Amino acid sequence: MLRTGEFELKNFIDTPSLILDIDIFKANVKEMLSICSQNGVSLQPHAKTHRTPELGLLQQELGCDGLCVAKVGEAEGFAKAGIKKITVAYPILGSNKVERARLLAKSIDLTLAVDSLVGAESIGEVFDQHSQVCPVLLIIDSGLGRDGVRPEDAPALAKAINAVRGIKVVGVMTHEGVVYGAPDRESMITSARDTSGMMVSVAEAIKKAGVDISRVSMGASASARVAPTVQGVNQVRPGIFAFNDLGQIALGNATYETCAVRVLSTVVSRPTPDTAVIDAGSKSLSADLLPAKEHRGQYPGHGLIVGKLGWIVERLSEEHGMLKWQGEGSPKDLNIGEQIQIIPNHVCTVFSSLNESVVITQGEVVDRWRTFAPGASR
């Protein structure tokens, strides 16, 4: 008998494993494509979430406008698989990486990202030597405090970068990760609108500085349903939305039914009545807690054990997940040898750690898809 939120599994699957319901995945992609289409916005999923050739090709076939990736190695892998349009949304430096990107740009529609004149010059030098021009997006820091330039510095820097031989600034992009820290859905929506509006204003300021750009690109699943509705935004690059995870459920963007993944694990020990140990540790589950501390009260620990209300994944070591009973009364049944399904806090790291998804449809295992080799991180 299935418990609330569990996938039906008609085949035995060894653990720990990442289970992917491909029908839910397709429905999630189609839903986001519909939102984007209604608002005249292109959808370019961030494929660093899954790093899986088959999933990238499926997203392209469903109608996505190419893929976004984090590293040149990922771009090479997806291009080899047949993806025709790719954005590397990460500042790349070094003649080796730039040369690899230049060669890739000869066969696909490739856009790179920069946030410094030094970075732009390193790209432009290599491309210009071969009479090529590289389209680039200027990365804007929208509050996360990671890479990117301050909004007020963007017009002058865009103008300087656009003057570099071998470079053409075509737009601005950001990862509005600050939205994940919103304490509630209303605050999340407000933050997403404000951040999107700020990016549109930055783009207008760059145009006034004399740089003719056309792309305003937002990049977070947390805000992906809001950003397309902001006039002036014309591209979104979310990644998690296609799968969803506990972070998206906490934000109100997803439900059990729209979460396409579960980590399957086995109970291997019951040291005390109110504790248990599973075979999914930090190498299988994300060590991340939910970004907003306000969500951790409702969703504590390292993932949600579906159908086992009262049990939480309290701690992780590399190969062990330590479960703790926090429900009312005495601990409910949890037996050694029992398999449990967990919705991870952060699905990206689960793909990266387990390196394989067990693909199911209507409960039947239909395939196993591997992620790229570690070299794709370069």
Side-chain angles (χ1 to χ4, degrees):
M1 180 177 177
L2 291 178
R3 297 180 287 258
T4 303
E6 279 192 326
F7 284 167
E8 179 183 13
L9 299 176
K10 297 178 180 178
N11 310 95
F12 173 77
I13 301 170
D14 208 350
T15 62
S17 290
L18 174 61
I19 312 300
L20 169 62
D21 188 311
I22 199 64
D23 300 312
I24 299 176
F25 168 86
K26 290 177 182 178
N28 290 341
V29 174
K30 290 177 181 177
E31 181 209 11
M32 191 62 68
L33 280 167
S34 177
I35 293 171
C36 289
S37 177
Q38 290 168 20
N39 292 280
V41 172
S42 74
L43 173 61
Q44 192 174 85
H46 206 319
K48 66 93 178 171
T49 294
H50 56 78
R51 302 175 76 189
T52 304
E54 292 87 348
L55 289 171
L57 285 170
L58 185 52
Q59 287 176 314
Q60 180 175 263
E61 291 167 8
L62 288 170
C64 295
D65 187 28
L67 298 178
C68 175
V69 298
K71 300 295 179 68
V72 175
E74 292 174 352
E76 291 169 331
F78 281 116
K80 183 178 180 180
I83 302 299
K84 304 301 183 183
K85 186 175 184 179
I86 298 175
T87 298
V88 181
Y90 193 96
I92 68 169
L93 289 168
S95 58
N96 177 58
K97 285 186 173 65
V98 176
E99 174 62 13
R100 287 161 55 200
R102 184 194 69 78
L103 292 172
L104 199 56
K106 295 176 68 175
S107 60
I108 66 167
D109 182 348
L110 181 71
T111 301
L112 300 183
V114 297
D115 70 351
S116 69
L117 184 58
V118 171
E121 288 173 340
S122 70
I123 295 170
E125 180 180 4
V126 173
F127 274 73
D128 187 56
Q129 286 176 356
H130 296 270
S131 301
Q132 290 175 252
V133 176
C134 180
V136 300
L137 296 174
L138 179 61
I139 308 170
I140 308 297
D141 179 6
S142 54
L144 188 60
R146 201 167 63 179
D147 53 7
V149 301
R150 297 182 302 178
E152 61 267 28
D153 296 333
L157 183 56
K159 190 171 184 177
I161 290 173
N162 203 51
V164 174
R165 291 177 62 88
I167 291 287
K168 170 59 179 172
V169 180
V170 297
V172 291
M173 59 157 283
T174 193
H175 169 56
E176 63 277 24
V178 65
V179 175
Y180 281 96
D184 53 57
R185 184 161 183 78
E186 183 177 350
S187 300
M188 183 271 290
I189 292 172
T190 298
S191 178
R193 285 177 178 158
D194 289 347
T195 306
S196 299
M198 179 275 292
M199 287 293 290
V200 173
S201 296
V202 169
E204 290 301 319
I206 290 174
K207 292 176 186 177
K208 288 179 181 178
V211 183
D212 184 21
I213 63 173
S214 59
R215 199 182 315 179
V216 179
S217 181
M218 307 299 294
S221 289
S223 58
R225 289 170 175 78
V226 179
T229 68
V230 176
Q231 186 67 33
V233 172
N234 52 27
Q235 184 184 67
V236 292
R237 313 176 327 277
I240 294 172
F241 80 96
F243 310 93
N244 290 316
D245 54 20
L246 191 55
Q248 295 302 312
I249 291 175
L251 287 167
N253 287 333
T255 64
Y256 289 175
E257 291 73 25
T258 63
C259 188
V261 293
R262 303 287 189 273
V263 174
L264 187 67
S265 182
T266 300
V267 178
V268 296
S269 179
R270 283 295 306 272
T272 69
D274 63 351
T275 63
V277 180
I278 58 175
D279 62 357
S282 62
K283 289 181 178 178
S284 303
L285 291 167
S286 170
D288 295 345
L289 297 174
L290 296 185
K293 63 180 182 297
E294 290 82 2
H295 296 154
R296 297 174 194 167
Q298 183 178 3
Y299 301 110
H302 300 277
L304 176 70
I305 307 171
V306 295
K308 290 289 186 179
L309 187 64
W311 286 99
I312 69 164
V313 185
E314 183 185 38
R315 294 181 295 117
L316 298 174
S317 60
E318 289 186 58
E319 305 292 353
H320 302 76
M322 278 63 79
L323 275 51
K324 179 75 173 177
W325 173 256
Q326 290 194 346
E328 296 180 0
S330 59
K332 300 296 191 297
D333 288 342
L334 193 66
N335 303 311
I336 293 176
E338 179 179 357
Q339 290 191 335
I340 60 173
Q341 298 180 23
I342 302 169
I343 297 177
N345 284 353
H346 186 187
V347 70
C348 303
T349 53
V350 176
F351 270 102
S352 178
S353 297
L354 289 175
N355 293 311
E356 180 185 74
S357 50
V358 180
V359 185
I360 65 169
T361 181
Q362 299 182 353
E364 295 278 1
V365 175
V366 293
D367 220 329
R368 292 174 182 265
W369 292 340
R370 298 284 296 175
T371 62
F372 294 132
S377 296
R378 294 192 288 270

